[in-house]
Amino acid sequence: MTVENTPQKGRDIDLLDVNLFVERHEHEVFRQLRDEAPVHFNPEPDGPGFYALTRYDHIKAVAQDHVRFCSGKGTQIRDKRAEGTGHPSVHNADPPIHGALRKVGMPPLRRSVIEGRGARIREIITDLMEATPRGDYFDFVEAISVKIPMIVFADVLGVPDDMQLTMVHWANTMSDVLASDAEQATARADLFAYFRRLAAEKRADPQEDLASALVTAEIDGARLTEEQLDAYFMVLTVAGNETTRNLLSGGLEQLCRQPGDMARLREAPGLIPKAVEEMVRWVSPVIQMRRTAIEDSDLFGVPIAAGTKVVLYFASGNRDERMFDRAGDFIIDRQPNAHMGFGIGPHFCLGAHLARVETQIFFEEFFKRYSACEIEGLGDRLPSNWFAGTAKLMVKWQ
């Protein structure tokens, strides 16, 4: 599909400006780009710049086209990979290795396995809820939304309780856009050293957990190398924490702003799964991911050269009026809801089932336990143009 893309339109918009997201102006800017410059060239202060795609159909087309657009050059805007220069993670891999790596990780994260862990996930969530005050404000991010995915994923991975906080601190440093290269290098080294100890323990004594599944899996008759395992463990830890953490905080914040829908869900908990899908669309925990053009191409009317960076703004696609009726409204029973909050195409999020189950169980227990909930203003946004996250959200529930 070719679109008119007037070069001067949107030229003053800088999607690398973190303040755009901290101050919650990103969606008005995305709408402007969708309407006026859906293939928007964005300069980089320390790089060649990139083309930003903001329309749903454009994002979908590129995300599904691994022949012309690759992930192996990196999925961050900057020319770097979270796992460093070693073996690429499943996230930063292309066919055929991408499919082989993905096949290894899928069985322990499939829906039936995650749902089988529901009782344990519910126990973790209710224990955290019981530790919070009633009738007094507390930081929901610190007390609940950071800890649920951290503890749940560590449990799924097979990490002992005494290492969970440290492991997630390292992983959070890897996803922090404000962390220096030196800080990220140190965190990466510490995380890889721990993963290798964990892998050795699981080889010696395999359990019913994700780490055991990965260290005993084979690709073409061979076990995964240490570098492959390092990268796999890292990307799963970062993704398993960031997505659910931000989904919980952003979802609860928006429900508190719509008390009628809050009451409706309390009376009809069967709507919770649909509401969670709408939270994924609305929050879009991962704002964007990058691809790189493999060959000279026509990018929806704009000629680009091989090697050009193309960034897919899932957060914008999820508010595209061309795809979603009343795209700017949070509708708890939205149907259909073909959002791209977990990505789309071959790199669809491996942990989507886990994020859904965690969030659904949280809201099931929330509506069972609390008769009222309010927030003290909007939450503080994370200073990130990669993750749509909340740094602090003051909540009071009864």
Side-chain angles (χ1 to χ4, degrees), residues 105-264:
M106 286 179 68
L109 292 170
R110 66 181 184 269
R111 182 188 297 273
S112 60
V113 174
I114 296 302
E115 289 178 347
R117 291 182 171 272
R120 173 58 182 149
I121 294 172
R122 195 174 299 273
E123 179 185 10
I124 290 168
I125 289 172
T126 54
D127 284 349
L128 290 172
M129 286 180 158
E130 288 299 316
T132 63
R134 288 178 183 254
D136 293 314
Y137 281 105
F138 68 95
D139 183 1
F140 178 80
V141 175
E142 180 181 31
I144 300 290
S145 67
V146 166
K147 292 182 178 178
I148 287 177
M150 174 186 70
I151 298 171
V152 169
F153 186 75
D155 190 69
V156 170
L157 190 60
V159 173
D161 293 351
D162 61 354
M163 278 302 300
Q164 291 172 358
L165 280 170
T166 303
M167 184 191 73
V168 173
H169 168 71
W170 290 329
N172 284 344
T173 301
M174 297 310 307
S175 63
D176 185 352
V177 297
L178 299 182
S180 69
D181 289 346
E183 290 170 329
Q184 291 190 335
T186 299
R188 183 187 304 114
D190 290 340
L191 199 55
F192 283 176
Y194 174 69
F195 285 150
R196 293 191 178 193
R197 295 196 301 272
L198 180 68
E201 293 171 5
K202 299 302 180 181
R203 288 191 191 99
D205 184 22
Q207 305 292 320
E208 294 295 322
D209 54 50
L210 178 56
S212 297
L214 291 178
V215 301
T216 57
E218 296 183 354
I219 294 178
D220 296 330
R223 295 280 176 89
L224 272 65
T225 66
E226 286 192 329
E227 276 196 349
Q228 287 175 318
L229 286 170
D230 288 343
Y232 220 133
F233 284 139
M234 169 168 285
V235 72
L236 289 175
T237 303
V238 172
N241 179 38
E242 291 287 351
T243 302
T244 308
R245 162 188 171 176
N246 299 330
L247 180 58
L248 287 166
S249 299
L252 181 63
E253 178 190 74
Q254 189 60 30
L255 270 185
C256 287
R257 299 178 71 190
Q258 300 182 197
D261 286 322
M262 179 87 80
R264 186 180 173 200

Side-chain angles (χ1 to χ4, degrees), residues 7 64 76 123 125 145 147 182 245 294-295 312 340 344:
Q64 293 180 327
Q76 297 184 56
E123 179 185 10
I125 289 172
S145 67
K147 292 182 178 178
R245 162 188 171 176
I294 297 172
E295 59 189 38
L312 314 180
M340 47 180 60
I344 196 165

Side-chain angles (χ1 to χ4, degrees), residues 317-363:
N318 278 336
R319 301 284 183 99
D320 191 345
E321 302 82 359
R322 296 155 190 81
M323 178 65 186
F324 298 98
D325 185 37
R326 295 172 57 198
D329 293 340
F330 179 79
I331 302 171
I332 61 171
D333 58 353
R334 180 180 292 276
Q335 190 70 26
N337 192 354
H339 65 74
M340 47 180 60
F342 290 123
I344 196 165
H347 284 269
F348 183 81
C349 178
L350 272 172
H353 296 315
L354 181 59
R356 284 174 167 131
V357 168
E358 289 174 280
T359 308
Q360 288 177 21
I361 290 176
F362 167 78
F363 280 103

